[in-house]
Amino acid sequence: MRKLSFLAALLVTYGLHAAADELSSEVLRQPLANVAVAGKELQLTIGPGSGLAHAQGMPWTDFYSVSDRGPNIPCDKSGKVLGKEVCHEPEVIFPVPGYAPSIYPLTIANGKVALSGEPIPLHAANGEKLTGLPPQLPNGEKPIDAQLQALPFSANGVDTECITALTKGGFWIGEEYGPSLLRVSPDGTVQERLVPKGTAQFYQGSAVPVRAVLPPLLARRKLNRGFEGMALAPDQKLLFVALQSPLANPNDEVAKHSRSDRLIALHLDTAGNFAGMAGGYALEFPKIADFAPGEKQKDLKLSAMSVVDTHRVLVMLHAGRKVAVYLADLQGATNLIATPWAKPDTLPSLEEQSDLSKVGVKPIALQLLWESSDAFGKGLGKVEGMSLVDGKSLLFISDNDFGISNEKSTVWQVSLSPEAQRLMHAE
């Protein structure tokens, strides 16, 4: 990672004490369902905090958020949630298996978050709603219901985590299962699903058209660490998408220690549809000892992105109580498309490299823009969405896991320092 300049070091301190306001967010905590799981009553709420995007071309009060796959309890966490362990990996409890991942239109103004329309459930053109139940993927999860009985896998299953809104209408949404990308119309119709090459067979019977056009290496995403960050260039010609964590390439053990995440760029046509791959890049995480002492490297995650211009995005990283936002510049970074680093059979893999410069790979340049204090980072909760507002402030949205552990979705606004604003406007 690029060494911090003295100016950037100063701006960390300055930004730390800039205005950080918790907005009135009660509308994000509405009841969803009461469900008994293994004898424990869960009072579930809606969960609209997995991704956040400004509606480009619209007033700076207009945003969209997206839920994830729906209420779920991974079995390795069932003891903490339910008071006793009731199942075993790779099973996951889905207390509301009919839940459809949804888009939420929001108005954020005057210190308050409001719904500006009804939630938009994702569905196929035939009206069939998408589900949060997993497709039957290799080494994937096995869904069970609140009575701990097996549920069917779903070729229409998505674990949505990030969203962008097109000026001509509609959305792109990234999800973790495939990982895959969804082209979505304004009413929530999923027009098509883009998946890694070689994985189309896992979606047979889907009500949504599936195209295997993404780099095949992406299928090695670590479980539950798929597409997490997404940003749309102002000219609407490029879509930037990043994984939450380094790939399990060639295995999970490598993913635990690697610092080399992946960011891809897609060409879009004038209608906002996929028109081909534009690039693939290495995004090098900081060493965990420098970012959040006491945490493990595998706990450092990319949680969200927001666009600055045609070649720069903001990247939010999160580990423990620390949240940090970096200005990421793709210009000059090595394009990995059509290189050995994009091939699954390249060994040692990019994720196994301790020094990318020694193998001729230049990662995306990063500059620290803002970072939280530990106390404020804890207050943010499980922050998963972020949007830059008019180049002057950041909005963060936290994921409440549908209230399973009594967490609350909240929106925070952080005013960026003049130094941070100048960094974003400097070329």
Side-chain angles (χ1 to χ4, degrees), residues 186-252:
D187 69 350
T189 303
V190 180
Q191 299 173 7
E192 69 173 353
R193 182 177 193 170
L194 308 183
V195 303
K197 294 177 181 178
T199 66
Q201 68 269 27
F202 303 121
Y203 305 92
Q204 290 183 4
S206 174
V208 171
V210 173
R211 273 207 291 169
V213 294
L214 300 180
L217 198 56
L218 295 174
R220 291 190 178 173
R221 64 95 181 93
K222 192 176 185 301
L223 192 64
N224 290 325
R225 301 286 183 92
F227 290 138
E228 190 80 15
M230 178 178 282
L232 182 65
D235 62 7
Q236 311 277 291
K237 294 180 179 179
L238 284 175
L239 180 68
F240 306 105
V241 190
L243 293 162
Q244 186 179 51
S245 299
L247 293 168
N249 183 30
N251 53 50
D252 279 348

Side-chain angles (χ1 to χ4, degrees), residues 239-398:
L239 180 68
F240 306 105
V241 190
L243 293 162
Q244 186 179 51
S245 299
L247 293 168
N249 183 30
N251 53 50
D252 279 348
E253 192 61 29
V254 168
K256 291 180 182 178
H257 307 286
S258 178
R259 293 169 51 211
S260 296
D261 196 20
R262 305 260 184 162
L263 184 152
I264 61 173
L266 282 65
H267 287 300
L268 302 183
D269 63 20
T270 55
N273 299 318
F274 174 72
M277 292 300 304
Y281 307 90
L283 195 157
E284 191 172 42
F285 285 178
K287 294 179 180 178
I288 194 63
D290 298 330
F291 186 89
E295 302 294 330
K296 297 180 180 179
Q297 192 68 45
K298 67 181 181 66
D299 298 324
L300 182 53
K301 305 172 185 177
L302 185 153
S303 297
M305 296 200 307
S306 187
V307 75
V308 176
D309 53 34
T310 56
H311 58 89
R312 297 185 302 167
V313 297
L314 298 184
V315 171
M316 180 175 69
L317 300 183
H318 190 192
R321 298 180 176 183
K322 180 58 64 69
V323 179
V325 178
Y326 295 83
L327 180 63
D329 191 342
L330 277 66
Q331 278 193 333
T334 303
N335 190 339
L336 305 176
I337 296 292
T339 73
W341 303 116
K343 298 178 180 179
D345 58 355
T346 297
L347 294 173
S349 68
L350 185 78
E351 286 68 24
E352 292 178 282
Q353 307 301 323
S354 58
D355 187 344
L356 296 180
S357 66
K358 290 185 177 179
V359 293
V361 173
K362 186 176 180 180
I364 295 168
L366 299 178
Q367 289 179 291
L368 185 59
L369 199 71
W370 176 86
E371 93 182 325
S372 70
S373 65
D374 283 354
F376 181 53
K378 182 181 180 181
L380 281 170
K382 189 181 175 184
V383 58
E384 290 197 354
M386 174 187 69
S387 181
L388 179 64
V389 182
D390 198 22
K392 297 178 181 179
S393 64
L394 296 171
L395 286 177
F396 297 104
I397 190 169
S398 61

Side-chain angles (χ1 to χ4, degrees), residues 52-211:
L52 183 69
H54 172 244
Q56 291 189 26
M58 299 297 288
W60 284 106
T61 56
D62 294 358
F63 295 85
Y64 292 96
S65 70
V66 66
S67 74
D68 64 14
R69 57 184 171 172
N72 67 91
I73 306 171
C75 285
D76 62 346
K77 297 180 180 178
S78 62
K80 183 178 179 180
V81 174
L82 303 173
K84 58 183 176 180
E85 188 171 306
V86 299
C87 52
H88 303 282
E89 291 186 284
E91 293 175 328
V92 176
I93 303 168
F94 287 84
V96 188
Y99 179 82
S102 300
I103 299 166
Y104 289 80
L106 304 177
T107 299
I108 302 176
N110 302 317
K112 184 177 181 179
V113 182
L115 286 174
S116 54
E118 292 295 319
I120 306 170
L122 298 181
H123 58 275
N126 65 2
E128 183 178 349
K129 288 185 178 180
L130 269 63
T131 174
L133 302 179
Q136 192 166 5
L137 297 164
N139 303 315
E141 298 164 317
K142 295 182 179 180
I144 58 177
D145 63 18
Q147 289 73 47
L148 310 182
Q149 299 301 304
L151 287 165
F153 293 100
S154 175
N156 297 324
V158 292
D159 187 1
T160 45
E161 294 288 350
C162 47
I163 183 171
T164 60
L166 294 156
T167 56
K168 293 187 177 181
F171 311 90
W172 277 98
I173 291 176
E175 69 89 35
E176 293 199 286
Y177 282 139
S180 64
L181 300 174
L182 312 177
R183 177 67 172 98
V184 183
S185 65
D187 69 350
T189 303
V190 180
Q191 299 173 7
E192 69 173 353
R193 182 177 193 170
L194 308 183
V195 303
K197 294 177 181 178
T199 66
Q201 68 269 27
F202 303 121
Y203 305 92
Q204 290 183 4
S206 174
V208 171
V210 173
R211 273 207 291 169

